[in-house]
Amino acid sequence: MREARYYIADGGVVSCELCPHRCQIKDGSVGVCKVRRNIGSKLFAESYGQLSSIAFDPIEKKPLRRFHPGSRILSVGSYGCNMRCSFCQNHLISQSKPKTEHYTPEKLLGLALSTHRNLGVAFTYNEPLIGFEYLLDCAKLLKSENLKVVVVTNGLISKQPLEELLPLVDAFNIDVKAFSPGFYARHGGDLETVRRNVKRAAESAHVEVTALIIPGQNDSEEEMSALSEWLAGVSPELPLHITRFFPRYKLTDAPPTPTDTIYRLADIARRRLKFVCGR
């Protein structure tokens, strides 16, 4: 645990400024993400250095298809998230606190350097941006050793912390969960923030986008047409991954996404985007 960045103290309440929720956190309580806690009118990042998951993955699994293809990357995750998706595919670490092991940034750097043929570190599995301080400290060390920094994220972060992080990140995969403000509102997010951050990140780093398709919720041809048209306005060469939903967490009554739906939506996206992967 360490003191957090980006907060304002006002009496016994602190306002967390890290993401658009702007949580007003009373003494002893945590924000929406469940990892940023007010202790004595100071905000602390409780998940700092607490890793729940460590793996050595193909870069394509992030998924990144056009960033050092064929390479492998050390992948780490912590716990917590600033969204509440009923369909979360990693809810055991994003919506609860699992068993963790403490890794200082120096210890993580040592592991990254000792892993054979390792490209760098991908911060993934849960939402890495809510652990902003740890991500920032690790990224600085990793870049000093010419290792790549990858962030797999929902893109829900405020403008100023994103600007601080951008010079240290080589690649993002940003999950655009739907192209509907109402969909985002139901799951604790904000589409306009994500749109802004996709566009800004693409000006600074390699960016790929993932769209998880849920039957009956975000699987219309009209929505995919609108999403791909907007992404093409950012760049027609921005890769899009269209992926299948499988029943998870609180959404167990919906069927898996039919493969035919994925193929159909991928064909629509290819009208405007050069690199579309449907799976």
Side-chain angles (χ1 to χ4, degrees), residues 14 30 54-55 121 128 185:
V14 299
V30 293
I54 302 175
V121 175

Side-chain angles (χ1 to χ4, degrees), residues 123-231:
F123 296 86
T124 180
Y125 302 132
N126 74 308
E127 175 48 56
L129 294 180
I130 63 170
F132 176 82
E133 296 77 13
Y134 185 67
L135 175 54
L136 189 70
D137 291 347
C138 291
K140 289 176 180 177
L141 288 181
L142 293 164
K143 297 301 291 181
S144 73
E145 295 291 342
N146 295 316
L147 292 168
K148 301 298 183 184
V149 175
V150 170
V151 177
V152 181
T153 175
N154 63 26
L156 202 67
I157 188 172
S158 298
K159 184 176 180 179
Q160 188 175 350
L162 178 64
E163 290 295 333
E164 185 175 3
L165 189 61
L166 281 176
L168 299 168
V169 178
D170 297 285
F172 290 88
N173 183 285
I174 302 177
D175 188 3
V176 179
K177 298 178 182 295
F179 209 60
S180 160
F183 184 100
Y184 266 90
R186 290 193 297 274
H187 298 288
D190 178 64
L191 176 59
E192 286 309 306
T193 296
V194 176
R195 281 167 50 118
R196 180 196 71 207
N197 290 341
V198 168
K199 185 175 181 179
R200 179 64 188 95
E203 295 171 354
S204 175
H206 179 87
V207 172
E208 302 192 17
V209 168
T210 294
L212 177 71
I213 304 302
I214 305 170
Q217 296 201 26
N218 63 353
D219 60 345
S220 73
E221 295 183 3
E222 293 78 12
E223 187 165 337
M224 180 53 66
S225 181
L227 171 61
S228 58
E229 182 177 6
W230 178 77
L231 290 174

Side-chain angles (χ1 to χ4, degrees), residues 23-199:
C23 293
Q24 304 298 302
I25 308 173
K26 297 179 180 179
D27 191 22
S29 298
V30 293
V32 168
C33 64
K34 298 191 181 302
V35 303
R36 304 176 79 76
R37 185 179 297 275
N38 178 352
I39 302 176
S41 298
K42 290 185 177 181
L43 192 64
F44 287 86
E46 287 192 324
S47 62
Y48 187 95
Q50 301 299 322
L51 299 186
S52 66
S53 310
I54 302 175
F56 189 47
D57 291 328
I59 194 70
E60 289 81 3
K61 193 176 178 181
K62 295 307 93 193
L64 292 170
R65 297 297 293 269
R66 298 190 60 79
F67 181 77
H68 296 272
S71 63
R72 296 177 69 87
I73 191 164
L74 185 68
S75 301
V76 300
S78 183
Y79 65 94
C81 186
N82 55 355
M83 291 188 68
R84 290 290 177 268
C85 300
S86 61
F87 50 87
C88 183
Q89 307 289 287
N90 287 317
H91 65 94
L92 293 177
I93 62 172
S94 71
Q95 306 300 324
S96 61
K97 184 178 180 180
K99 182 179 179 182
T100 61
E101 184 176 351
H102 187 253
Y103 271 74
T104 64
E106 292 77 13
K107 183 178 178 180
L108 181 61
L109 174 64
L111 179 60
L113 289 171
S114 65
T115 303
H116 184 55
R117 293 186 178 177
N118 175 34
L119 182 65
V121 175
F123 296 86
T124 180
Y125 302 132
N126 74 308
E127 175 48 56
L129 294 180
I130 63 170
F132 176 82
E133 296 77 13
Y134 185 67
L135 175 54
L136 189 70
D137 291 347
C138 291
K140 289 176 180 177
L141 288 181
L142 293 164
K143 297 301 291 181
S144 73
E145 295 291 342
N146 295 316
L147 292 168
K148 301 298 183 184
V149 175
V150 170
V151 177
V152 181
T153 175
N154 63 26
L156 202 67
I157 188 172
S158 298
K159 184 176 180 179
Q160 188 175 350
L162 178 64
E163 290 295 333
E164 185 175 3
L165 189 61
L166 281 176
L168 299 168
V169 178
D170 297 285
F172 290 88
N173 183 285
I174 302 177
D175 188 3
V176 179
K177 298 178 182 295
F179 209 60
S180 160
F183 184 100
Y184 266 90
R186 290 193 297 274
H187 298 288
D190 178 64
L191 176 59
E192 286 309 306
T193 296
V194 176
R195 281 167 50 118
R196 180 196 71 207
N197 290 341
V198 168
K199 185 175 181 179

